[in-house]
Amino acid sequence: MSMTDNVDNETTRFMLRDQTPGTDMKFVIQAPSEDVKNTWVSAIQRILEMQGDFLRALQSPIAFYNKEKELTKEL
C-alpha cells in the first residue's frame, strides 16, 4: 500500500493505493475534519513504515539487523 495525503486539493481527503502487481485499487478517504485526517495519516504512515521495515527484514535479515544495530548506536 502507498498513501497520498492530498487528493483534489481537499484538506480532509487522502488516498490509499494497493501496489499489488496487476491491481489498480484506490481508496479515497475523507475525514470529518483536517485534524482527524492528520491523525489518521500519521497513524497510517507509521503502519506503512513498519510494514516496509518488516518486508526489508524478511528479504535481507542480516543487512536489516546491521542497519538497526547501527541506528541504535547513534541514539
Side-chain angles (χ1 to χ4, degrees), residues 60-74:
S60 184
I62 293 171
F64 181 80
Y65 173 77
N66 289 337
K67 181 179 177 188
E68 289 296 310
K69 192 173 165 184
E70 215 173 278
L71 289 174
T72 304
K73 284 182 185 178
E74 291 176 7

Side-chain angles (χ1 to χ4, degrees), residues 14-37:
F14 63 99
M15 181 172 45
L16 292 173
R17 178 175 292 165
D18 185 352
Q19 293 185 310
T20 303
T23 304
D24 190 28
M25 293 180 84
K26 299 173 188 170
F27 303 93
V28 176
I29 297 108
Q30 181 161 345
S33 70
E34 206 169 332
D35 287 338
V36 171
K37 175 201 163 192

Side-chain angles (χ1 to χ4, degrees), residues 1-63:
M1 296 292 278
S2 66
M3 183 170 54
T4 303
D5 64 352
N6 191 0
V7 176
D8 300 331
N9 293 322
E10 293 282 339
T11 60
T12 57
R13 288 185 184 175
F14 63 99
M15 181 172 45
L16 292 173
R17 178 175 292 165
D18 185 352
Q19 293 185 310
T20 303
T23 304
D24 190 28
M25 293 180 84
K26 299 173 188 170
F27 303 93
V28 176
I29 297 108
Q30 181 161 345
S33 70
E34 206 169 332
D35 287 338
V36 171
K37 175 201 163 192
N38 292 336
T39 300
W40 290 354
V41 165
S42 293
I44 293 168
Q45 281 175 333
R46 285 191 305 273
I47 291 167
L48 292 175
E49 287 173 11
M50 284 189 303
Q51 288 179 337
D53 288 345
F54 183 66
L55 180 60
R56 284 186 287 282
L58 287 174
Q59 290 174 335
S60 184
I62 293 171

